[in-house]
Amino acid sequence: MATVDLHFHSLFSDGALSPDEVIRRGVERGATLLALTDHDCTAGLAEAAATAHACGIGFLNGVEISVSWGKHTVHIVGLGIDPDDEALSAGLQGIRDGRINRARAMAESLAKVGIEGAFEGASALCDNLEMIGRTHVARYLVNSGHVKDVRTVFRKYLTPGKPGYVPHEWASLADAVGWIRSAGGIAVIAHPGRYDMGRTLTERLIFDFKDAGGEAIEVASGSHSLDDLHKYALIAQRYDLLASAGSDFHAPGEGGRDVGRTDDLPPICRPVWERLLENGRVLA
């Protein structure tokens, strides 16, 4: 198991733990370099960085930006960012402004199939209403007894073609990568194995991403199988991309990898954190 985890969440977006708690959880599991990457939000970074410093480990300021690319929603992680950068801050605020309206529309869609009170229930589980999202709705459906677990909620209700799914126009790929670069960071394609894309479409995404200035891809991910790990290691090598590793941890007991628990990158990979160390972006 690697000791690097550069993708996980806190209660400032759709995670269940505070930044302090999630960093300490990673340290307890042996992590020596962590990056908090909340969705479209940097509010938890100062707390996370302070805890990492107190624990004596390396830390990277991060964010995960929601992107609309063609008919697909993809996520772009920014690592080593300056959270006070004006372009990044303004871009993320614009994304957050649309989240509440989307959540209301999701609740209205669920009500049509007999599930009432989803907006109010999800809001009660959300520490920051600006950051309300599908995971909060999913947790409400589990807590209220409609579905047995979060993973099943997404499969039955919150993916395209299912009741409860509401399409949304997020940031453009060029804008997201541009904001990350403006803030001094490196852009990373998050969990590529989760996207319903064949080889041709994946290649087109990578070309557009690189044209915008993107430099890395998540090879090791909590969403990836062992086959995915090797597949995206080869893709990183083929397209000259740096490789990243992240658990995508959200909450204890919700499945996937725990924070601080990611697979080692295959030897053919060039780790993104080595570039970030060279650039002085890792906070000690």
Side-chain angles (χ1 to χ4, degrees):
M1 303 298 287
T3 58
V4 174
D5 189 348
L6 305 185
H7 181 172
F8 56 87
H9 303 274
S10 79
L11 53 71
F12 278 93
S13 61
D14 58 351
L17 304 180
S18 70
D20 175 80
E21 290 171 325
V22 75
I23 294 296
R24 292 187 185 278
R25 188 178 181 93
V27 172
E28 289 169 358
R29 282 149 183 77
T32 57
L33 177 61
L34 296 172
L36 178 64
T37 57
D38 277 321
H39 291 283
D40 309 316
C41 176
T42 60
L45 292 179
E47 180 183 333
T51 300
H53 178 75
C55 293
I57 66 161
F59 181 76
L60 286 161
N61 285 320
V63 68
E64 185 175 13
I65 302 179
S66 308
V67 164
S68 294
W69 182 77
K71 296 180 180 180
H72 295 268
T73 296
V74 299
H75 290 168
I76 303 297
V77 163
L79 297 174
I81 58 166
D82 172 6
D84 296 321
D85 179 78
E86 290 186 6
L88 175 65
S89 297
L92 296 181
Q93 184 63 56
I95 296 173
R96 293 195 300 271
D97 286 344
R99 280 184 171 269
I100 297 176
N101 289 337
R102 180 196 186 211
R104 291 188 186 279
M106 291 168 65
E108 291 172 2
S109 179
L110 288 168
K112 293 177 181 177
V113 294
I115 299 174
E116 301 287 346
F119 180 78
E120 293 77 13
S123 298
L125 299 172
C126 184
D127 288 82
N128 176 5
L129 192 59
E130 274 192 331
M131 293 308 303
I132 192 169
R134 290 188 301 166
T135 300
H136 299 107
V137 175
R139 288 177 183 150
Y140 165 72
L141 265 61
V142 172
N143 292 350
S144 58
H146 288 92
V147 185
K148 66 178 181 178
D149 56 43
V150 167
R151 184 170 294 182
T152 304
V153 176
F154 274 87
R155 188 176 71 249
K156 291 184 65 175
Y157 293 107
L158 301 181
T159 52
K162 304 295 184 180
Y165 177 78
V166 174
H168 186 77
E169 190 67 27
W170 302 106
S172 72
L173 181 62
D175 280 347
V177 175
W179 298 336
I180 291 166
R181 289 172 60 84
S182 169
I186 290 178
V188 184
I189 298 174
H191 42 58
R194 279 177 47 180
Y195 308 132
D196 184 20
M197 298 182 191
R199 179 174 178 174
T200 299
L201 205 56
T202 298
E203 184 176 74
R204 192 180 308 161
L205 171 63
I206 290 171
F207 287 158
D208 286 354
F209 174 71
K210 292 191 69 174
D211 285 345
E215 300 177 70
I217 190 168
E218 270 184 9
V219 171
S221 167
S223 302
H224 286 177
S225 65
L226 186 60
D227 285 344
D228 288 331
L229 177 76
H230 294 297
K231 172 183 176 180
Y232 290 106
L234 290 170
I235 284 175
Q237 182 186 51
R238 182 181 306 132
Y239 296 104
D240 193 27
L241 291 167
L242 299 169
S244 191
S247 63
D248 199 13
F249 172 80
H250 286 75
E254 284 193 357
R257 292 293 177 87
D258 209 332
V259 63
R261 297 287 174 84
T262 58
D263 290 317
D264 290 317
L265 294 179
I268 63 172
C269 292
R270 294 179 297 130
V272 67
W273 54 89
E274 292 182 357
R275 174 76 60 79
L276 290 159
L277 280 164
E278 292 171 2
N279 294 347
R281 307 306 293 181
V282 176
L283 306 179

